[in-house]
């Protein structure tokens, strides 16, 4: 069966520091991968979407970037965090086929201080 | 621009009452429609999808293309239905866009 791992669960970082959140999927190949941010009152905002290694689509302009160095690894990064980057970040995957669901990780609570 | 509207942030009903969580989407084209649910201290998970025409935990959702709506309904709410519900159209090879969510509170 497939599993998704996302870490760390919580993170407190100072303004201006770098960020690296990692997500890995097991038990499947060639998944679609996603990074979402969940903000209070705003739901889940799609940040990045990937259909393959090195193929990243950015949905909104922001201070963050994503990379997919391996088929089942998705990394969310920032060179210098801003206070506004605080939030709850969710990684997800889905099969390539249309009409299939997304499977979510446990999420990372990021607080920038 | 893609947009999903869930007008109610909070919906409180008594146990046994009917419940309807509204969702309107605005897209060019024909998205696939999903409802996701997040129970307390659990991961976000799929509740149901339009294409399956299914009823899950007593919930159903009707797609109205004319009104671009995909409202979620249950005739008799239960306390265990209390959760956060998200409407999520999917476009272009499973690119999911989520609404702002509705918190359902079912009171005893």
């Amino acid at each position: 069966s497939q599993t998704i791992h996302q870490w760390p669960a919580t993170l407190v970082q100072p303004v201006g520091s770098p960020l690296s959140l990692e997500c890995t999927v097991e038990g499947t190949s060639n998944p679609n991968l996603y990074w979402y941010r969940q903000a209070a009152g705003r739901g889940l905002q799609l940040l990045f979407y990937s259909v393959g290694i090195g193929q990243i689509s950015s949905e909104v302009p922001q201070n963050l970037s994503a990379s997919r160095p391996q088929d089942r690894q998705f990394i969310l990064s920032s060179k210098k965090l801003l206070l506004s980057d605080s939030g709850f970040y969710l990684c997800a995957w889905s099969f390539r086929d249309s009409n299939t669901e997304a499977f979510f990780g446990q999420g990372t609570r990021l607080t920038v201080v | 621009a893609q947009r999903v509207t869930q007008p109610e942030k909070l919906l409180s009903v008594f146990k046994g009452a009917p419940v309807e969580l509204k969702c309107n989407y605005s897209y060019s084209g024909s998205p696939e429609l999903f409802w996701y649910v997040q129970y307390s201290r659990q991961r976000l998970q799929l509740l149901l999808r339009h294409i399956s025409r299914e009823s899950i935990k007593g919930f159903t959702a009707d797609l109205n293309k004319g009104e671009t709506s995909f409202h979620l309904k249950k005739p008799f709410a239960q306390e265990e239905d209390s959760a956060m519900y998200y409407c999520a159209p999917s476009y272009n090879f499973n690119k999911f866009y989520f609404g702002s969510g509705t918190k359902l509170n079912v009171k005893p």
Side-chain angles (χ1 to χ4, degrees):
Chain A
S1 63
Q2 301 86 13
T3 57
I4 178 169
H5 303 280
Q6 184 182 343
W7 67 94
T10 59
L11 189 60
V12 180
Q13 291 283 99
V15 169
S17 65
L19 172 73
S20 180
L21 302 181
E22 190 161 343
C23 174
T24 59
V25 179
E26 296 177 356
T28 188
S29 298
N30 303 314
N32 288 346
L33 295 172
Y34 312 80
W35 278 111
Y36 287 88
R37 177 164 52 206
Q38 189 174 27
R42 296 186 60 187
L44 275 73
Q45 183 182 33
L46 179 60
L47 301 177
F48 298 98
Y49 168 71
S50 173
V51 298
I53 295 174
Q55 300 179 63
I56 311 292
S57 170
S58 175
E59 291 294 307
V60 293
Q62 59 196 299
N63 183 43
L64 302 168
S65 62
S67 61
R68 184 170 177 172
Q70 300 181 47
D71 180 48
R72 291 168 291 175
Q73 184 184 27
F74 207 25
I75 298 172
L76 185 68
S77 304
S78 173
K79 292 182 179 178
K80 290 185 178 181
L81 282 169
L82 306 172
L83 287 174
S84 57
D85 291 324
S86 294
F88 191 63
Y89 290 85
L90 284 165
C91 181
W93 75 273
S94 75
F95 291 106
R96 285 291 178 84
D97 301 337
S98 296
N99 308 322
T100 61
E101 66 187 277
F103 299 91
F104 285 84
Q106 288 278 36
T108 297
R109 173 72 60 190
L110 172 66
T111 303
V112 182
V113 296
Chain B
Q2 296 92 349
R3 188 172 66 194
V4 184
T5 303
Q6 292 182 249
E8 305 119 339
K9 288 188 177 181
L10 174 64
L11 189 61
S12 288
V13 300
F14 285 102
K15 176 183 174 182
V19 62
E20 181 180 48
L21 287 76
K22 292 185 169 56
C23 171
N24 287 89
Y25 62 93
S26 175
Y27 285 85
S28 56
S30 300
E32 295 302 327
L33 279 302
F34 300 78
W35 274 97
Y36 283 79
V37 60
Q38 189 168 27
Y39 300 103
S40 178
R41 287 186 283 278
Q42 293 188 28
R43 298 187 186 199
L44 188 62
Q45 60 187 287
L46 177 71
L47 177 62
L48 58 78
R49 71 194 83 189
H50 167 253
I51 195 170
S52 300
R53 300 289 197 272
E54 57 202 347
S55 173
I56 302 296
K57 299 183 178 181
F59 284 97
T60 58
D62 294 323
L63 175 62
N64 186 322
K65 290 188 176 181
E67 296 181 357
T68 59
S69 67
F70 190 54
H71 303 329
L72 183 68
K73 300 177 183 179
K74 185 169 182 176
F76 307 104
Q78 302 300 314
E79 289 182 69
E80 55 266 30
D81 296 328
S82 295
M84 196 76 181
Y85 291 81
Y86 294 93
C87 180
S90 168
Y91 252 81
N92 298 335
F93 305 103
N94 291 351
K95 193 180 283 190
F96 295 92
Y97 294 93
F98 285 78
S100 55
T102 297
K103 184 175 182 178
L104 176 63
N105 180 33
V106 182
K107 298 176 284 188

